[in-house]
Amino acid sequence: MFTNQRILVTGGTGSWGYELIRQLLPQQPKQIIVFSRNESSQVAMSRTFEDSRLSFCIGDIRDKEALMRACERVDYVFHLAALKHVPVCEDQPYEALKTNVIGTQNVIEAAIANGVKRVVYISTDKAANPSNFYGMTKAIGEKLIVYANLLHSDTTFVCVRGGNVLGTNGSVVHLFMNQIREKGQVRITDKNMTRFFLTLQDAITLLFKASEESIGGEIFVMTMPTCRIVDLAAVLIDDLGIPATMVTTGIRPGEKIHEILLTDHESTTTIVYDEEYLVILPTLDIPGLRQHYSSYPSVDFESYSSSQSLLTKEEIRSMLVRGGFLS
């Protein structure tokens, strides 16, 4: 799919970007353009990969003119750029709106103007029935991406919705390990809290699958393992062999006890694609979309919550070993 193609990655110097590019390069693309705001991160990334097919473009997705230039002669866009931290978006909603909503609109318009083949938007479980401003902006982003398929262009747009990815910047695993080593404690907002988790390597593999098999207008939902945060912390404490206590700090503004990947409303138009993906079909009438998925079974549940099918501590440890966090 990506052989001899030009690919633009917005927010490409983040954790997702590194792993995405690491898995893209063996697929023989003609060029990968990394579009981000941080000059030093781009320099560090260029030194890490040292590949002539990588080029770097300083820019902000809020700047439509910069995006228009970056999208010239591009075949595929992976839209990763976003303000992602829940407390930051709660404290500075205007900034989150400009990046996550207006920035996504800019990506759509730049892609259409330059005849990009496909745009893949990376969303989050927090967009499902959002309780915080970050989730609201990502939910609007999903709506914009789905709607973009009705703008009478040759560009197709698809969403991929996932949960927490282990190993990303600010990941709870890195945070907990640092707290155990430096403070002898783990700070947990609520001991009943559960979350969806997936390794970064697995997330990118699934992202490619959705990129290749989508036709435009769908929201691909990664089926992900879930665990209690206290169990994750206990596994890390045991493995590090450092005595540590768990301190409950209370839920932060906009935070949920349990996340959901699929709402009861969405379940009425969701099909089971395979063991790894569900596909949410929009209520908008996108020509050919429902017919394409007409042979797939509908889901037999109303919602998909992180409180269900929890991993055991041994299963959590296996996941952390696979992700390269534990030996």
Side-chain angles (χ1 to χ4, degrees), residues 41 45 57 69 110 124-125 149 160 167-169 180-181 200 212 232 241 262 271 280 301 305 320-321:
S41 295
M45 190 176 210
C57 181
R69 291 192 298 272
T124 168
D125 52 2
N149 290 279
V160 178
T168 55
N169 291 333
I180 294 166
R181 290 185 181 119
L200 190 51
E212 294 174 12
L232 175 65
L262 184 72
I271 58 96
I280 303 171
F301 49 82
S305 169
L320 293 173
V321 169

Side-chain angles (χ1 to χ4, degrees), residues 117-181:
K117 293 177 184 176
R118 177 159 299 182
V119 174
V120 183
Y121 174 79
I122 313 304
S123 190
T124 168
D125 52 2
K126 292 175 178 59
N129 195 17
S131 63
N132 51 61
F133 198 79
Y134 168 59
M136 291 174 186
T137 60
K138 295 299 283 186
I140 295 171
E142 286 185 353
K143 295 287 189 183
L144 291 174
I145 290 288
V146 169
Y147 172 75
N149 290 279
L150 295 175
L151 295 178
H152 307 293
S153 75
D154 294 327
T155 306
T156 57
F157 297 83
V158 63
C159 299
V160 178
R161 184 190 291 174
N164 294 328
V165 176
L166 297 170
T168 55
N169 291 333
S171 167
V172 69
V173 174
H174 295 309
L175 176 65
F176 282 179
M177 292 175 85
N178 288 337
Q179 289 177 351
I180 294 166
R181 290 185 181 119

Side-chain angles (χ1 to χ4, degrees), residues 16-56:
W16 274 79
Y18 265 83
E19 183 62 25
L20 173 61
I21 289 163
R22 189 186 69 79
Q23 293 192 37
L24 272 174
L25 287 171
Q27 301 186 48
Q28 306 307 319
K30 179 180 290 185
Q31 183 184 24
I32 301 174
I33 304 161
V34 178
F35 184 90
S36 72
R37 298 177 301 178
N38 194 313
E39 175 193 16
S40 59
S41 295
Q42 291 191 4
V43 171
M45 190 176 210
S46 67
R47 291 171 178 167
T48 297
F49 285 100
E50 292 186 338
D51 194 301
S52 60
R53 293 169 295 172
L54 271 185
S55 62
F56 295 86

Side-chain angles (χ1 to χ4, degrees), residues 52-318:
S52 60
R53 293 169 295 172
L54 271 185
S55 62
F56 295 86
C57 181
I58 298 289
D60 193 317
I61 58 170
R62 300 179 182 189
D63 182 348
K64 186 177 174 182
E65 290 183 8
L67 269 174
M68 292 289 281
R69 291 192 298 272
C71 281
E72 290 175 0
R73 298 180 299 125
V74 163
D75 298 296
Y76 294 94
V77 173
F78 287 95
H79 180 27
L80 310 182
L83 293 182
K84 300 181 176 73
H85 288 270
V86 169
V88 172
C89 294
E90 288 296 292
D91 290 342
Q92 302 182 64
Y94 287 5
E95 300 307 310
L97 180 73
K98 284 184 278 190
T99 296
N100 296 357
V101 177
I102 304 303
T104 297
Q105 181 180 352
N106 289 340
V107 169
I108 291 168
E109 293 177 0
I112 290 174
N114 283 281
V116 170
K117 293 177 184 176
R118 177 159 299 182
V119 174
V120 183
Y121 174 79
I122 313 304
S123 190
T124 168
D125 52 2
K126 292 175 178 59
N129 195 17
S131 63
N132 51 61
F133 198 79
Y134 168 59
M136 291 174 186
T137 60
K138 295 299 283 186
I140 295 171
E142 286 185 353
K143 295 287 189 183
L144 291 174
I145 290 288
V146 169
Y147 172 75
N149 290 279
L150 295 175
L151 295 178
H152 307 293
S153 75
D154 294 327
T155 306
T156 57
F157 297 83
V158 63
C159 299
V160 178
R161 184 190 291 174
N164 294 328
V165 176
L166 297 170
T168 55
N169 291 333
S171 167
V172 69
V173 174
H174 295 309
L175 176 65
F176 282 179
M177 292 175 85
N178 288 337
Q179 289 177 351
I180 294 166
R181 290 185 181 119
E182 296 172 9
K183 301 177 182 178
Q185 64 173 221
V186 177
R187 297 170 65 83
I188 294 172
T189 55
D190 190 287
K191 291 191 175 181
N192 294 313
M193 188 168 286
T194 62
R195 287 294 181 267
F196 294 98
F197 284 106
L198 195 67
T199 67
L200 190 51
Q201 296 88 337
D202 290 344
I204 299 300
T205 299
L206 291 175
L207 173 60
F208 284 151
K209 179 178 173 181
S211 304
E212 294 174 12
E213 299 180 16
S214 59
I215 67 168
E218 315 98 313
I219 300 175
F220 274 73
V221 179
M222 298 178 185
T223 58
M224 307 177 73
T226 65
C227 73
R228 298 169 69 224
I229 298 298
V230 290
D231 290 341
L232 175 65
V235 169
L236 292 171
I237 291 169
D238 289 344
D239 193 83
L240 290 173
I242 300 172
T245 57
M246 296 190 199
V247 178
T248 303
T249 60
I251 292 180
R252 297 174 297 182
E255 199 169 41
K256 294 180 182 178
I257 297 292
H258 308 296
E259 294 287 2
I260 58 172
L261 272 172
L262 184 72
T263 69
D264 54 354
H265 172 70
E266 291 171 330
S267 68
T268 61
T269 58
T270 299
I271 58 96
V272 179
Y273 189 70
D274 58 22
E275 291 183 354
E276 298 172 326
Y277 270 116
L278 308 174
V279 174
I280 303 171
L281 301 176
T283 52
L284 292 172
D285 183 19
I286 296 176
L289 188 59
R290 287 188 179 274
Q291 295 91 320
H292 179 78
Y293 291 101
S294 60
S295 62
Y296 290 83
S298 299
V299 296
D300 58 0
F301 49 82
E302 290 187 356
S303 66
Y304 186 177
S305 169
S306 63
S307 63
Q308 302 162 346
S309 305
L310 296 168
L311 295 177
T312 64
K313 288 183 180 179
E314 190 53 42
E315 288 170 332
I316 293 170
R317 191 181 191 286
S318 296

